[in-house]
Amino acid sequence: MSEQNGAVNLTINNNIGTIEFYHPKGNSLPGAILRKLAKTITEAGENDDIKVLIIQSRGDGAFCAGASFDELIAIDDYDTGKEFFMGFALVLNAMRTCPKLIIVRVHGKTVGGGVGIAAAGDYTFAEEKADIKLSELALGIGPFVVGPAVERKVGKSAFSALSIDATNWYDAEWALENGLFNKIFDSTYDLDQAVRALAQELAKSSPEAMKNLKAVLWKGTEDWDLLLEQRAEISGRLVLSDFTKNFIKKFKSR
């Protein structure tokens, strides 16, 4: 995968695995990035040299701009639509089933699928500028695939607010108060220090104990393989609508 099309890289240092994703358009998530990310998370979970995982994105702008509009507007049949949204399902299920605890580092604004990644982290650190938004309803789609992950973290009431108020940003303090973020920091330096400190502590912990803790934390999500596929089918149908096509065209022409 060339850098101009984005990248997903795994580095391992002192039993800490760091997965970094990147795309030149705001760290957005085209299908190839989603599948590479899911595969990398799964492989890291199977690597005995890794005891804890960090997921982050590159740069100092957006943490994640969500779904790739270039790919969304090109979808012209149901099968392609479902396949695209299955990419998000694969990432969330890879994070859910990974036997390693996952720290997510959110340094900037986060939309849609990026909010799902933040929610699927076992512990999520963020910078104060990391505003969030679930913009899917405004696109005519709805946050169906990421919904279970977000609702699991913030509860139905807060998830409803994010889902319905789809054009407004919610600040990092709101995300902290509602359980999406575990801690927030006023600088990238402090954010990185905290991520590193927790990762180093977890790397010294019992892998078996952390594996069992992970299973306890995710109890009740055993049906997500089927559930998220069903949600991808809903989004795969809705993305074909004229409403969604016209919205994206107007957005890209700004």
Side-chain angles (χ1 to χ4, degrees), residues 75-241:
I75 294 171
D76 58 6
D77 64 84
Y78 165 74
D79 288 339
T80 303
K82 177 185 175 181
E83 180 182 8
F84 176 77
F85 287 102
M86 277 300 297
F88 292 99
L90 292 171
V91 170
L92 297 179
N93 275 321
M95 294 178 71
R96 174 180 68 88
T97 59
C98 177
K100 315 294 170 65
L101 292 174
I102 298 175
I103 300 168
V104 177
R105 172 194 179 274
V106 182
H107 67 269
K109 287 188 173 183
T110 308
V111 182
V115 179
I117 292 173
D122 298 303
Y123 204 97
T124 301
F125 291 103
E127 201 168 343
E128 282 187 343
K129 63 182 180 181
D131 297 351
I132 62 169
K133 179 166 64 172
L134 288 180
S135 60
E136 288 90 339
L137 188 62
L139 275 68
I141 302 171
F144 296 110
V145 180
V146 301
V150 179
E151 185 179 339
R152 170 182 169 269
K153 270 294 179 71
V154 305
K156 189 174 291 293
S157 178
F159 173 61
S160 297
L162 279 175
S163 301
I164 294 170
D165 191 13
T167 60
N168 288 313
W169 292 96
Y170 284 69
D171 63 25
E173 188 67 39
W174 184 95
L176 176 68
E177 291 172 357
N178 285 279
L180 181 69
F181 298 155
N182 295 105
K183 290 183 180 179
I184 58 175
F185 300 88
D186 59 9
S187 72
T188 304
Y189 175 82
D190 289 339
L191 171 67
D192 288 336
Q193 290 290 103
V195 169
R196 188 177 302 111
L198 180 59
Q200 289 172 345
E201 283 302 312
L202 291 176
K204 295 184 288 186
S205 299
S206 161
E208 193 64 24
M210 290 189 287
K211 178 181 178 180
N212 281 275
L213 176 59
K214 176 105 179 194
V216 169
L217 295 175
W218 286 88
K219 184 175 175 57
T221 64
E222 294 81 8
D223 65 338
W224 276 25
D225 283 327
L226 177 59
L227 175 63
L228 298 192
E229 181 176 0
Q230 292 171 338
R231 297 294 185 86
E233 290 171 353
I234 296 172
S235 296
R237 288 193 299 270
L238 290 170
V239 76
L240 300 174
S241 70

Side-chain angles (χ1 to χ4, degrees), residues 43 62 104 252:
E43 291 174 347
V104 177
K252 287 174 67 66

